[in-house]
Amino acid sequence: GRQRQTVGGREGGVQHQAQGGGASAGYGRGQQWVCLKEKEIDSMADETSIIASAQGLFHRFGIRSVTMDDVAHHLGISKKTLYCAAQNKDALVEKTVGRFISQKKGAIKQICERQAAPLPELFSMMGYIACTLGEVSEAMVHDLQKYHHDSWQQLLDFYYQYLFEKIKTNLVKGAASGDYRADMKPEFAAMLLLQVLRLFLRKELPQFNSSGDFVKNCLDFFLVGMATEQGREVCRAYLEQ
């Protein structure tokens, strides 16, 4: 069976350690403690900071190993304050996943607005996806799949609907500009790119030096069949930068 990742060195929750000098909380796992001092706690006791803190803990340690007590202690707030932000753990998980997706959508929107040409846009978008989806630990993926089906479906919709449409739109735009072959099937190519990305994130592909190295090799391979000669020249120039 799968071994559960533990937080702070014990199963079922984050270890807490009193720090000298007043009410503060911290967590750690074979490393120096991260301590939230009183003055820092006061400024963090709002819903956005609570959700952000829980998101960081869930991404790092998984969901099942982090309790509501752990989140409250980590922030140095009362459980009453925590339950004002999320009425239960399911609601907290849903909000952290929603925040994660919202962040990624905002960043991808900026990439698409900033990169006018199809090829640089595709490189930037794939690189960002490879980097940021890697933030989600295997423990969190397992816990979402097994215990939080609605939140897991949110992630799947983001991946297979939102990202799929963004990549497909890029391919359609590139075909119109002459960078990609006009006879290419954009739906098929977009799904292939997403599936290869999925294999990379699941560590089922040969190891690459970095996510950027993966994206370069992946798109270099795909563009041989997908791009026109014009597109290949643009690609070569972009890769030489």
Side-chain angles (χ1 to χ4, degrees):
R2 174 182 169 273
Q3 287 188 340
R4 284 180 52 193
Q5 185 177 8
T6 60
V7 182
R10 70 173 171 84
E11 186 171 352
V14 181
Q15 278 188 341
H16 305 295
Q17 174 172 309
Q19 305 287 332
S24 59
Y27 71 94
R29 188 169 187 263
Q31 61 188 28
Q32 289 186 336
W33 286 78
V34 177
C35 184
L36 301 177
K37 300 297 184 184
E38 288 177 335
K39 62 181 180 181
E40 296 172 326
I41 290 169
D42 291 340
S43 66
M44 295 181 69
D46 61 87
E47 182 172 336
T48 300
S49 296
I50 290 169
I51 301 306
S53 180
Q55 179 180 331
L57 291 174
F58 291 156
H59 284 193
R60 185 173 183 185
F61 300 112
I63 296 169
R64 200 174 175 206
S65 294
V66 178
T67 67
M68 294 293 273
D69 281 328
D70 294 332
V71 178
H73 277 289
H74 174 69
L75 278 167
I77 60 176
S78 68
K79 286 183 70 175
K80 180 180 178 181
T81 300
L82 176 58
Y83 281 111
C84 286
Q87 59 182 325
N88 53 45
K89 190 174 180 181
D90 282 339
L92 184 61
V93 171
E94 187 174 336
K95 288 188 176 187
T96 60
V97 170
R99 181 178 185 270
F100 175 81
I101 292 172
S102 178
Q103 288 174 321
K104 305 320 165 197
K105 284 184 176 181
I108 291 170
K109 180 182 177 182
Q110 288 184 357
I111 289 171
C112 294
E113 290 172 349
R114 186 172 63 247
Q115 300 285 7
L119 275 162
E121 179 186 87
L122 186 61
F123 268 95
S124 297
M125 194 158 44
M126 291 288 288
Y128 177 76
I129 295 166
C131 284
T132 59
L133 290 189
E135 295 172 7
V136 182
S137 68
E138 291 182 20
M140 182 175 178
V141 170
H142 173 273
D143 292 343
L144 282 172
Q145 287 178 299
K146 190 167 184 179
Y147 305 109
H148 303 277
H149 300 134
D150 290 344
S151 295
W152 176 243
Q153 188 60 50
Q154 276 187 282
L155 272 181
L156 291 181
D157 291 345
F158 167 70
Y159 193 79
Y160 287 112
Q161 293 180 22
Y162 180 82
L163 291 182
F164 173 80
E165 286 299 325
K166 285 296 183 183
I167 294 174
K168 187 183 81 171
T169 298
N170 173 274
L171 300 179
V172 171
K173 182 170 66 173
S177 68
D179 290 322
Y180 305 142
R181 287 168 40 194
D183 61 347
M184 175 191 61
K185 302 292 185 185
E187 294 85 359
F188 177 69
M191 187 53 69
L192 277 181
L193 283 167
L194 279 178
Q195 292 300 336
V196 172
L197 181 60
R198 178 174 173 269
L199 290 174
F200 170 72
L201 294 173
R202 289 168 60 94
K203 297 178 174 58
E204 294 178 6
L205 291 176
Q207 292 298 307
F208 292 89
N209 294 327
S210 64
S211 58
D213 186 39
F214 158 73
V215 171
K216 178 180 179 297
N217 279 272
C218 175
L219 291 183
D220 188 43
F221 176 81
F222 272 94
L223 290 173
V224 169
M226 198 168 71
T228 61
E229 185 55 41
Q230 170 186 309
R232 293 189 192 104
E233 290 178 4
V234 173
C235 180
R236 282 192 289 268
Y238 184 80
L239 291 175
E240 289 172 359
Q241 292 178 0

